[in-house]
Amino acid sequence: MYKLMFMTENDFIPLNKEGYRDTGTVTWVAPSNIALVKYWGKRAHQIPANASLSFTLDSCVTTTSVAYEPLRARKDDFSFELHLDGMRRDDFKPKTHTFFSRIERYLPFLRDFHFTIHTSNTFPHSSGIASSASGMAALASCLMEMEQNQAPDMDAFFFRRKASFLARLGSGSACRSIQGELVEWGAHPDIEGSSDLYGIPYPYEVHPIFKNYQDTILLIDEGQKQVSSSVGHDLMQNHPFARQRFRSATENLGKLRQIFSKGDLQGFVEVVEQEALTLHAMMMTGKPDFILMKPNTLRVISEIRGYRERTGTMVCFTLDAGANVHLLFPEQDKEKVGLFILEKLVAFCEKGHYICDRLGSGARKAVIIA
């Protein structure tokens, strides 16, 4: 049963701060996630301006291995190198350095080791699928395994909660990739146990129709997205519609409780599509403004709505901060929606590429076969 205990930053500071001198390698796989109610806008220390809720994915994952060896003497800075898909990427080091700086209080051993980090994705990087979420969730889980090696009595609940807490300090939405299948993040007046510090498994009844939900990601544009999520969040600080946006997100998250318990697919479609379009409306009406959709994004949205109207099939779309479209639908409709994708939607995808995914269970330790 899910524990509703509330935890503070101080609960994640280890009592035993003495480092250890082991050498080893840890490897974790963490999924991306797709927000149904969007987190857009944040305060200091990676605190969300509004609560959010996401589906954890299954196939869109990051695999991260961290090889660590003790330094002869503790350094004044962090010692690490980073590789993406087998290639050294020093351009990614600043973000990892910032992450280490934020979490050092909670993992005091970070300056005692040299880390060699290898990471790879099963999906295009920086294209609007949350690679930062899966990447930071995988890295946080690796570092938590190192801490667990020093504290073998650590239970799985604390491991995952602290991993979520740490991942948030690297990328806000990463805290929702530690667990599955539905994860809520951000203090919400109607959700017991919710916190701005970490994600929690959605604690209320979910109708079976929402189990094994499908997410087909239509890759409209596989290139790097026009604006980073960090820039997008910053635009909300002085946005003329920010207050209304935060209020509507809170209301939509409240509406989903009844929608999930009753299996109300029509209500689900309305909330999820409104959230997606509102996210992009905030980008289009900010200063500066950004239009992240592509012409084919709009064509796909039109096709989805037309198909739903003609057939009564409760497919819907959502979008992250990019041009790609996530097509959401119940598993029972997988066969007919698959035909719809092939007949109507694949033509709008770059090189005909799309990814078939579904709800997943969160980060997991990789099984290494010798």
Side-chain angles (χ1 to χ4, degrees), residues 174-216:
C175 74
R176 299 191 310 246
S177 283
I178 298 297
Q179 300 193 82
E181 301 162 333
L182 268 170
V183 177
E184 191 274 350
W185 169 43
H188 189 281
D190 299 326
I191 299 181
E192 187 178 359
S194 61
S195 171
D196 289 337
L197 301 181
Y198 43 77
I200 64 170
Y202 188 67
Y204 301 123
E205 180 184 3
V206 178
H207 190 280
I209 195 70
F210 292 111
K211 304 289 186 178
N212 301 316
Y213 227 71
Q214 305 292 298
D215 178 6
T216 296

Side-chain angles (χ1 to χ4, degrees), residues 1-2 21 44 75 113 200 211 222 311 326 350-351 368:
M1 182 177 178
Y2 174 68
R21 308 296 293 172
K75 289 204 169 187
F113 290 87
I200 64 170
K211 304 289 186 178
E222 295 188 45
T311 67
H326 290 249
E350 185 174 340
K351 300 177 184 177
I368 306 299

